[in-house]
Amino acid sequence: EFISEIKGISKLEESITNRLGIKKTIIIPSQLQSDTDFVNDMAKAAGRYFLSEIKGHKTIGITGGTTMYSFANCLPQSKKQSEVTIVPARGGLGEEVEIQANNIAAMISKKLNGNYSLLHVPDNIDKSIIESIISLPQVKSTVEAIDNIDMLIFGIGNAEDMAKRRKTSFEEFELIKKKGAVSEAFGHYFNIEGEQVHETSTIGIKLDKYKELKDIIGIAGGKRKAEAILSIARINSNLVLVTDESAAQYLLKLT
Ligand code: BG6
């Protein structure tokens, strides 16, 4: 029974990879487990894949969120030193401190014995203020590091859920909905076609940078995120998706 379960999962992985037209899919079987268990299982699988691919990478961008927090938490502690630098892919201090990208970058770099560079910039600030903050030396070096990332590991959110979590104003929330946003990733909102329809005003990875990345690992599961996953998959086909069976089953229906 175990073998047929594995065969089923690898078939599903293959179907999702083909339907979404992405590089690779890793699926965690949905057992009767709690939400936190499946997130941890995805995080562990993503960690194993990440460690197998890390060689040759110098600057790795990461995002915040509960899934990425679990990723950092589940990553095994390395005994060796690493030259790698971990950077938050964007600012955004609007969330609980544990799940902010800064904290997660520090956690991951400690697990790898590497370096990190932090970005202390809040979300939703005026464009003119962003300009002046970018010129501050500590911010400038991190912004340059973000421009130089050669790998990104990120969470994917359901657009409405993320807008609510980010305490978006009523007007902005309505606008995001009106523009047909289904997903949110690294502060950008996308429609089902993977076109950007909105961007949180803060400092962080630019969409053009994301589009040219060769190594990207997106971690997101649960049926509620299926549409969001589909939309993100359409932006850059180099995506390696780590998800769970329930999202995958729903993705089959959508594609
Ligand atoms: C955010 C990331 O912090 O977390 C986003 O910047 C992502 O890329 C979101 O959409 C997902 O959060 P969670 O808690 O569902 O993993």
Side-chain angles (χ1 to χ4, degrees):
E1 198 189 327
F2 182 64
I3 299 287
S4 67
E5 166 83 5
I6 291 183
K7 272 193 190 152
I9 289 290
S10 40
K11 269 207 161 151
L12 191 56
E13 290 176 337
E14 214 182 294
S15 311
I16 297 295
T17 301
N18 293 336
R19 297 251 190 124
L20 300 187
I22 57 177
K23 201 196 277 177
K24 187 182 169 69
T25 310
I26 298 168
I27 298 173
I28 295 308
S30 303
Q31 290 133 6
L32 285 175
Q33 49 186 7
S34 70
D35 278 8
T36 42
D37 282 347
F38 99 73
V39 173
N40 277 333
D41 284 353
M42 285 195 311
K44 282 181 203 154
R48 281 192 294 272
Y49 178 76
F50 164 62
L51 294 176
S52 75
E53 293 291 307
I54 191 171
K55 218 172 159 225
H57 292 284
K58 287 195 180 73
T59 314
I60 298 170
I62 58 92
T63 70
T66 55
T67 315
M68 283 303 297
Y69 175 78
S70 178
F71 172 85
N73 216 11
C74 293
L75 211 59
Q77 179 62 54
S78 165
K79 292 194 182 76
K80 289 185 286 184
Q81 281 300 120
S82 164
E83 291 301 309
V84 90
T85 299
I86 309 293
V87 284
R90 61 178 307 117
L93 305 175
E95 300 217 78
E96 259 179 80
V97 68
E98 283 84 2
I99 66 164
Q100 280 174 17
N102 276 326
N103 181 49
I104 292 170
M107 280 172 81
I108 295 174
S109 103
K110 284 199 180 116
K111 290 279 178 83
L112 300 172
N113 298 316
N115 314 300
Y116 59 85
S117 178
L118 301 182
L119 189 60
H120 298 290
V121 182
D123 265 340
N124 301 319
I125 41 174
D126 202 78
K127 284 246 153 53
S128 61
I129 301 175
I130 291 186
E131 300 286 308
S132 21
I133 293 181
I134 283 190
S135 59
L136 296 171
Q138 322 87 289
V139 177
K140 211 171 162 212
S141 67
T142 306
V143 169
E144 279 164 12
I146 296 173
D147 281 342
N148 284 321
I149 63 175
D150 47 33
M151 185 187 237
L152 176 73
I153 314 167
F154 67 109
I156 299 168
N158 167 297
E160 286 189 24
D161 292 350
M162 288 311 295
K164 276 188 201 141
R165 210 165 91 185
R166 294 220 161 104
K167 299 184 185 68
T168 314
S169 69
F170 176 75
E171 290 74 21
E172 197 180 343
F173 185 75
E174 288 301 306
L175 190 71
I176 291 170
K177 274 209 302 198
K178 209 175 116 204
K179 288 178 174 167
V182 297
S183 68
E184 185 279 342
F186 37 87
H188 300 248
Y189 287 84
F190 305 91
N191 64 17
I192 193 74
E193 304 302 333
E195 295 155 349
Q196 178 172 309
V197 293
H198 188 72
E199 187 184 348
T200 317
S201 91
T202 183
I203 295 172
I205 185 168
K206 298 194 178 64
L207 185 56
D208 285 342
K209 171 72 191 179
Y210 177 77
K211 285 183 177 169
E212 66 192 29
L213 280 171
K214 300 272 180 293
D215 290 296
I216 39 183
I217 306 173
I219 318 169
K223 199 175 156 193
R224 248 192 103 66
K225 288 192 179 183
E227 279 198 321
I229 293 170
L230 175 60
S231 117
I232 298 298
R234 288 174 166 156
I235 310 170
N236 181 337
S237 60
N238 291 320
L239 180 69
V240 172
L241 171 68
V242 184
T243 189
D244 76 320
E245 206 177 338
S246 70
Q249 294 291 1
Y250 201 66
L251 272 164
L252 286 184
K253 288 186 196 144
L254 290 174
T255 51

